[in-house]
Amino acid sequence: MSQKYYEFFCPVKVIAGKAALEHIPYELTGLAAKRPMIITDKGVRAAGLLDPVIAACEESGLDIVSIYDDVPPDSSTSVVRDIAGIYRQEKCDAIIAVGGGSSIDTGKAVNILVSEGGDDIAKYSGAGVLKHPLKPFFVVPTTAGTGSEVTAVAVITDEKKGVKLAFTSSFLLPNAAIIDPRMTLTLPPHITAATAMDAMTHATEAFTCMAKNPLSDAYATAAVKKVSQSLLNVMDNPKDTDGRLELAQASTMAGIAFSNSMVGLVHSLGHATGAICHLPHGLCMSLYLPYVLEFNLESIREPLGELLLHLEGPEVYSATPASRRAEASISAIRKLRDQLYKRCQLPRTLKETGKVLESQLDHIAEQALDDGSIMFNPKEVTLEDAREILRRAWA
Amino acid sequence: MLRKRIQPMVLQARRLYVDIMFQVMGRALQAVSEVDETVQNDARALPEGLLFEMMVMPDGPRLIVEHTGNGHFHYHGESAPRPIDLSIQFKHIAHAFLVLSFQEKTAEAFAHDRMLVDGDLSYAVRMTRVLNRLEAFILPKLIAERAVKEYPASLHLPEKLVSAARIYLKVATNFVETVRA
Ligand SMILES: [Fe+2]
């Protein structure tokens, strides 16, 4: 279509593979940073994941000046303010966020305060408020799913007002994302499964929703292929370093894809369910993905059918008649979910989670309709549609 | 030479068109919100007194409506009585023209980075649905199908005709009122 237009942007340097952490000192020096601060959470520290990061820096004569390891699962404005205070007191000049979505978002928000000044992060919420580059900022993801290391967004809770503040600016993007298989080697099975399915959903939605474009398509299909080929291997053999690296790269690639072409209804439903029933995000993604694809089917038949090649490989793809490929893609995703259920009981229906009441479905449907990602779903969603999908996903 | 003389006229016409369409939409928004339950249901969740603006960057044509409560909108023309709460901003008049001449769906324009939202995203999502519904109402079905993601199945012809007639009537009265005022 001649009306087609898109934008694609990803200035993050990706440093990935064996001994990737050991590149941190060189990269920091290249940005004239000498006093880095680490922002992380207790779980990451307890799992011993900081040790290789610190060792890598110290061996090169670069001291980590301060470590903040108390980031909560839902980071808040006061946490951000406290960390910014420590950063200033210790005269730090760079941030390394080590962790999952929350530590990374916290790192982004702290970087706003220490670069722009002040104590009130709420002042900078919204889109396009920042006009200048921020301090050197590195991200070391310890889960393979969120893709936050390549997104220009941070979400921080304002606990006094009880609202979530969103910050969007390309200046929030880190200078580098360091993908080292050592960081995800010890992830427990159910988190490995849920986060990989989050990446799978990012890629699938990026590839089938309204803002899809040729560049994000390339990242999305590559990510789908990597998750399909590696996830079950890693589930069966958690110490499979190569498989872990594949999943971590898939997560980053899916992140690049969706940060440029957005997600859709799976995320609208997932965000609402997460907020109301306190279910982990990746779990919600895995749960809703096939039901939403079925709902969207006639609007996405072509791209969804194309995904079969990346989900199941060339033999299955060529043996499946073109008219059946979209359905076969959904079956492939269902099959993967069944396998994950067998290995770690990752729930496939709302009932299987044991944490959702049937009486909450209406509330979830209503809240999903207010979620920003619904705007990019390829098919218009009414309240009744959302309710119907939830009824199907119930059991 | 000729091109130099013609182009400003084309550009001026485009600007005029965007200006007029904003006025039509503003009035239609007010009218639709008085008769259509679906719009009212979507709009009701917006805070009372919320000022919504659609504008062309940096300082182009704009339309401003206020949610006066109960799902009703009031059209304020081009000037707001208070600071705007929710703003949808086209990056360029050319992009506003694409949307307002129904060559690009509102959601598509978001997807194509043609416009920005300043304000609560959940309100923007609701306003986009309201605008979709509005376009389905005021346009002939053939054009509306191009302008919105999906033509509502529940909008049957008689209902549409009756509603459209009432909306046109209301838009017309509003125009007349403006001329008088
Ligand atoms: Fe996600």
Side-chain angles (χ1 to χ4, degrees):
Chain A
M1 195 172 48
S2 61
Q3 297 296 340
K4 202 72 192 154
Y5 169 89
Y6 68 90
E7 292 177 10
F8 185 92
F9 184 65
C10 184
V12 180
K13 178 165 184 175
V14 175
I15 296 168
K18 193 176 158 78
L21 292 174
E22 280 69 16
H23 284 263
I24 293 177
Y26 172 78
E27 294 295 331
L28 278 175
T29 316
L31 295 168
K34 295 186 184 71
R35 299 177 62 81
M37 169 189 223
I38 287 182
I39 297 176
T40 188
D41 63 57
K42 286 264 191 293
V44 167
R45 191 160 208 183
L49 295 177
L50 288 192
D51 303 342
V53 180
I54 296 169
C57 290
E58 282 179 351
E59 272 178 294
S60 286
L62 186 77
D63 278 338
I64 305 288
V65 175
S66 178
I67 297 175
Y68 184 93
D69 67 359
D70 214 5
V71 174
D74 243 329
S75 193
S76 66
T77 49
S78 62
V79 171
V80 170
R81 192 183 49 229
D82 291 351
I83 303 176
I86 299 170
Y87 180 103
R88 288 175 185 135
Q89 203 183 327
E90 299 289 338
K91 300 195 166 46
C92 297
D93 58 9
I95 297 170
I96 306 174
V98 184
S102 183
S103 291
I104 300 173
D105 279 12
T106 305
K108 290 174 180 170
V110 170
N111 202 10
I112 299 177
L113 277 190
V114 299
S115 305
E116 293 279 315
D119 280 325
D120 183 14
I121 188 69
K123 214 170 73 182
Y124 300 101
S125 72
V129 180
L130 302 174
K131 304 288 183 204
H132 315 283
L134 308 180
K135 303 277 185 205
F137 176 43
F138 288 19
V139 169
V140 185
T142 58
T143 63
T146 65
S148 307
E149 66 276 14
V150 285
T151 64
V153 188
V155 178
I156 302 288
T157 304
D158 184 337
E159 66 261 88
K160 262 186 266 148
K161 291 193 187 131
V163 292
K164 287 195 170 189
L165 301 172
F167 304 81
T168 45
S169 163
S170 53
F171 295 126
L172 294 180
L173 287 162
N175 301 85
I178 296 94
I179 319 288
D180 191 304
R182 279 173 285 177
M183 303 313 274
T184 51
L185 218 46
T186 52
L187 269 186
H190 64 282
I191 297 184
T192 302
T195 48
M197 288 306 282
D198 187 20
M200 176 70 106
T201 306
H202 292 155
T204 308
E205 292 212 288
F207 195 71
T208 54
C209 288
M210 288 185 74
K212 82 194 251 56
N213 66 65
L215 290 179
S216 76
D217 282 356
Y219 284 95
T221 50
V224 168
K225 187 175 169 188
K226 283 194 189 308
V227 175
S228 305
Q229 288 182 341
S230 298
L231 179 52
L232 294 180
N233 289 343
V234 170
M235 293 300 290
D236 292 335
N237 179 13
K239 296 283 169 217
D240 171 4
T241 315
D242 291 336
R244 288 285 186 188
L245 181 60
E246 286 294 283
L247 291 182
Q249 291 175 128
S251 164
T252 301
M253 296 174 95
I256 294 173
F258 92 82
S259 60
N260 281 283
S261 59
M262 304 298 146
V263 285
L265 181 57
V266 184
H267 273 80
S268 323
L269 291 169
H271 291 154
T273 312
I276 295 168
C277 310
H278 308 287
L279 284 173
H281 177 73
L283 188 165
C284 298
M285 297 300 99
S286 180
L287 200 158
Y288 288 128
L289 182 56
Y291 301 102
V292 170
L293 292 178
E294 275 161 8
F295 170 75
N296 284 338
L297 183 60
E298 291 315 321
S299 311
I300 59 171
R301 187 167 274 287
E302 213 187 298
L304 185 58
E306 233 178 282
L307 275 190
L308 185 63
L309 175 63
H310 310 282
L311 284 162
E312 294 272 45
E315 284 81 21
V316 174
Y317 180 80
S318 55
T320 310
S323 62
R324 300 288 307 156
R325 283 177 188 153
E327 283 86 351
S329 291
I330 299 177
S331 307
I333 288 167
R334 283 187 177 277
K335 208 170 63 191
L336 180 59
R337 295 189 335 145
D338 290 340
Q339 292 297 324
L340 292 174
Y341 184 76
K342 220 194 260 171
R343 286 167 172 82
C344 69
Q345 286 75 52
L346 189 70
R348 294 160 297 182
T349 62
L350 290 169
K351 207 172 165 188
E352 277 177 1
T353 66
K355 285 191 181 154
V356 181
L357 302 172
E358 217 170 346
S359 57
Q360 289 175 308
L361 298 190
D362 272 359
H363 189 191
I364 297 175
E366 277 161 30
Q367 200 157 321
L369 279 202
D370 273 341
D371 192 85
S373 51
I374 210 162
M375 201 126 70
F376 302 103
N377 195 64
K379 190 173 166 185
E380 193 81 75
V381 189
T382 65
L383 186 57
E384 200 33 60
D385 293 332
R387 284 192 184 128
E388 178 57 30
I389 296 167
L390 289 168
R391 275 195 289 273
R392 283 169 198 251
W394 171 251
Chain B
M1 283 303 281
L2 199 60
R3 194 165 159 258
K4 268 190 190 152
R5 285 221 314 268
I6 287 177
Q7 206 140 33
M9 279 173 59
V10 173
L11 294 183
Q12 221 176 2
R14 191 168 69 182
R15 190 175 196 87
L16 196 65
Y17 178 85
V18 169
D19 236 341
I20 289 173
M21 272 315 288
F22 270 160
Q23 290 180 37
V24 169
M25 280 176 72
R27 292 183 166 87
L29 257 177
Q30 178 172 331
V32 165
S33 74
E34 280 160 21
V35 294
D36 185 60
E37 232 176 273
T38 312
V39 165
Q40 286 166 0
N41 285 338
D42 255 320
R44 205 165 279 137
L46 301 170
E48 208 175 305
L50 174 116
L51 283 176
F52 167 74
E53 158 195 82
M54 227 171 162
M55 62 97 68
V56 179
M57 289 171 125
D59 197 24
R62 67 190 66 213
L63 87 87
I64 292 157
V65 295
E66 176 177 353
H67 176 231
T68 52
N70 264 324
H72 292 285
F73 289 115
H74 173 75
Y75 175 52
H76 278 290
E78 283 219 317
S79 52
R82 292 183 303 283
I84 297 290
D85 301 295
L86 172 68
S87 174
I88 292 183
Q89 305 169 346
F90 289 99
K91 288 182 181 171
H92 193 276
I93 187 116
H95 304 145
F97 183 75
L98 282 177
V99 171
L100 297 175
S101 58
F102 313 106
Q103 300 177 57
E104 195 164 280
K105 303 167 174 70
T106 312
E108 243 171 26
F110 272 117
H112 292 171
D113 297 288
R114 307 288 198 201
M115 42 197 197
L116 302 174
V117 174
D118 192 1
D120 191 313
L121 193 57
S122 68
Y123 299 155
V125 171
R126 282 185 179 271
M127 282 312 298
T128 306
R129 265 201 300 277
V130 167
L131 292 173
N132 280 347
R133 177 86 180 166
L134 176 80
E135 282 166 1
F137 259 112
I138 59 176
L139 296 172
K141 184 169 186 236
L142 208 70
I143 304 177
E145 272 171 341
R146 208 163 8 130
V148 299
K149 249 195 262 184
E150 218 159 290
Y151 197 77
S154 59
L155 204 68
H156 299 305
L157 198 61
E159 181 200 352
K160 181 179 152 66
L161 277 184
V162 172
S163 308
R166 281 168 68 192
I167 289 163
Y168 278 127
L169 196 65
K170 279 178 176 276
V171 171
T173 355
N174 208 330
F175 258 119
V176 175
E177 276 167 16
T178 314
V179 174
R180 278 208 202 111

